[in-house]
Amino acid sequence: MTQQGVRWTADQVLALAPDAASRKAGSKLGTAGPWSQTGSSDEGAVWGLCKGSGSKPYQTIVDTGADGRGNGPAYKCSCPSRKFPCKHALGLLLLWSGGAQQVPDGQAPPEWTEQWLAGRRERAAAKRTEPDGGSGTAQADPEAARRRAERRAQRITAGAAELEQRLTDLLRGGLAQAERAGYGLWEETAARMVDAQAPGLASRVRELGAIPGSGPGWPVRLLEECALLHLLDQGWLHRAELPEDLAATVRSRVGLPAQATLPAQRDDWLILAQYDSADGHLTTRRVWLYGTATHRTALLLSYGAAGRAPSLALPAGLTLDASVSGHPGGTLRAELDEQFGAALPKGVRPAGVEVGAALAAYGEALTADPWLESWPVTLADVIPARDPDSGSWQLADAEGKTALPLAPQAAATSGLWRLAAVSGGAPVTVFGECGHRGFRPLATWTGAAGEVISLC
């Protein structure tokens, strides 16, 4: 149950926005002007009517709690938007974050709100009583499933062998031909990997296509990526000889779906950060969690088709009492199994490490997953500053002895200036992703036990 009076901050609300346009539009609706019949219940529901361009106001509802099956918060609005949350839901939550004068506490939901909430509760109860954890994927014919898996493995093997031959031809002819051939060569190769049912290989091939002619040093970068792709091919072709954890990582990297088979752990999970990335076909949402008792970091992934935001949205800075199950291999990916209440502020944060320890953690993670782009770390007592030689941004320790350069995409966002403003030249604790391209800051904290400031 949501505790009455515990409301999210405006930053936590805006962090849920599916894109910048929704964030801007939702901010404009975060005032009392367009709203009427607003209220919130002790169970975590928030509702209101928002005046739009038509004669009938939009009915907007947000359930800030959980349905017990890893689904929450949830949104419902009568507007035609396909984004979740829509601008009206964001505006309502911003109004709610302003206090009980804007959105009263302890109210009885109106009929239109109660109907949706009741349906949500019924669906959650039905899932809890379904066999196999409500997944609805119990296999009626295990033998048929085994044959399908074998056929797919054979297609992937054929695709990996073909890809090996294409890489051999590229290196035999020289990398210069990659620039002359253009992107069409890579797109055709990626299509062949899709036909082989190896989407992970297809994705890496498309990334190769963007390297030739991308700036000084591109042949070196292309050779490095070709080497990693060759390593993945060989890992698949010799997967039977690999340790089980590494074999599971290879299966995941080529694109085979993995189940969360590791035991579930219940903990108070601090929601560290949430951000989206899109490739034109799919929007991927990453949510980083930190177990305050287990000291475990977990990554939740949620997907949305092109033009639609993923359904999972958790407010950064709050702590969620939930059970989380992990995937095998060297990945931190996990699944949110069950929530035991709404997310609440508890003023906790991970223990930070120095720059050297952060680099060592990333290096150790690479031994379990050589294709890893980055690794989550929390840096303690670092100061955002410019490198006096290159002029690029970095996070330096308080003594100025070591520093981590910021990743290029981080230096071009407003999060960098937000971090600099919070720091004010003083050491801060920063959570982010440490990788071969640099460090990407995702969150920082204010004061000894202050709120999380999103840098995404």
Side-chain angles (χ1 to χ4, degrees):
M1 262 182 119
T2 298
Q3 296 177 5
Q4 185 173 344
V6 176
R7 300 179 182 234
W8 302 345
T9 66
D11 283 343
Q12 288 165 345
V13 172
L14 292 175
L16 301 175
D19 51 42
S22 298
R23 189 178 299 112
K24 182 177 180 181
S27 298
K28 293 180 180 179
L29 293 174
T31 59
W35 293 97
S36 62
Q37 299 185 32
T38 58
S40 63
S41 69
D42 292 344
E43 288 74 30
V46 186
W47 60 86
L49 300 177
C50 185
K51 181 175 177 54
S53 57
S55 58
K56 188 175 181 180
Y58 295 121
Q59 297 177 341
T60 307
I61 317 166
V62 180
D63 184 359
T64 64
D67 66 1
R69 298 298 301 173
N71 299 315
Y75 316 92
K76 171 68 176 178
C77 186
S78 59
C79 75
S81 174
R82 298 174 62 190
K83 297 179 180 180
F84 296 94
C86 67
K87 64 180 181 179
H88 304 101
L90 290 170
L92 177 61
L93 287 175
L94 287 171
L95 193 67
W96 173 66
S97 71
Q101 289 184 339
Q102 305 282 8
V103 180
D105 283 320
Q107 303 295 300
E111 182 180 358
W112 54 273
T113 299
E114 181 55 39
Q115 288 178 352
W116 180 74
L117 292 172
R120 181 166 156 78
R121 289 192 293 267
E122 290 173 4
R123 288 190 294 272
K127 286 183 179 180
R128 284 193 292 269
T129 58
E130 283 180 7
D132 201 26
S135 65
T137 59
Q139 296 177 350
D141 189 349
E143 180 60 24
R146 184 189 64 79
R147 290 195 297 269
R148 287 194 298 271
E150 286 183 352
R151 288 194 295 270
R152 181 172 184 181
Q154 290 170 359
R155 284 192 284 268
I156 295 175
T157 297
E162 179 181 347
L163 183 56
E164 281 291 277
Q165 185 59 53
R166 297 197 177 202
L167 290 174
T168 300
D169 293 342
L170 172 65
L171 296 177
R172 182 181 292 118
L175 295 182
Q177 68 171 324
E179 188 174 25
R180 294 193 300 268
Y183 191 75
L185 168 68
W186 307 102
E187 187 58 39
E188 190 268 337
T189 304
R192 295 286 294 166
M193 297 304 104
V194 172
D195 293 341
Q197 294 186 291
L201 294 179
S203 177
R204 297 193 76 91
V205 168
R206 291 193 182 97
E207 291 174 1
L208 286 181
I211 297 177
S214 61
W218 71 261
V220 174
R221 296 193 297 274
L222 180 60
L223 186 59
E224 290 173 346
E225 293 302 321
C226 285
L228 285 172
L229 187 53
H230 167 69
L231 183 65
L232 183 55
D233 276 342
Q234 290 298 312
W236 172 262
L237 295 173
H238 298 87
R239 61 192 182 281
E241 305 166 23
L242 299 178
E244 180 52 38
D245 280 352
L246 185 55
T249 298
V250 168
R251 289 193 293 268
S252 175
R253 289 296 182 182
V254 300
L256 287 176
Q259 301 296 322
T261 57
L262 299 183
Q265 288 182 312
R266 181 175 178 178
D267 202 344
D268 284 334
W269 297 93
L270 173 63
I271 305 164
L272 289 168
Q274 171 183 293
Y275 69 93
D276 295 348
S277 59
D279 62 3
H281 304 284
L282 194 69
T283 298
T284 302
R285 174 164 294 167
R286 290 171 170 81
V287 182
W288 284 109
L289 304 179
Y290 172 75
T292 59
T294 59
H295 305 297
R296 170 188 167 193
T297 304
L299 174 63
L300 306 181
L301 295 180
S302 182
Y303 301 96
R308 301 201 64 172
S311 58
L312 179 65
L314 298 175
L318 301 185
T319 302
L320 187 66
D321 181 8
S323 61
V324 168
S325 54
H327 286 238
T331 179
L332 293 178
R333 185 179 176 185
E335 304 292 339
L336 187 58
D337 292 329
E338 186 172 0
Q339 300 179 35
F340 303 98
L344 301 172
K346 292 194 175 180
V348 294
R349 69 175 69 174
V353 299
E354 60 181 13
V355 170
L359 292 173
Y362 176 49
E364 184 177 351
L366 283 173
T367 63
D369 183 355
W371 307 276
L372 192 66
E373 291 288 330
S374 60
W375 189 253
V377 294
T378 302
L379 294 175
D381 297 330
V382 290
I383 303 171
R386 286 189 180 275
D387 185 327
D389 297 324
S390 66
S392 58
W393 282 90
Q394 60 185 11
L395 293 179
D397 64 25
E399 298 179 356
K401 295 181 178 179
T402 57
L404 271 178
L406 293 189
Q409 71 267 36
T413 65
S414 61
L416 170 60
W417 307 111
R418 198 176 303 125
L419 175 60
V422 171
S423 167
V428 290
T429 299
V430 182
F431 168 77
E433 296 170 349
C434 180
H436 64 278
R437 294 185 178 90
F439 186 84
R440 181 178 183 179
L442 298 176
T444 187
W445 286 262
T446 59
E451 66 180 66
V452 172
I453 304 298
S454 175
L455 305 175
C456 304

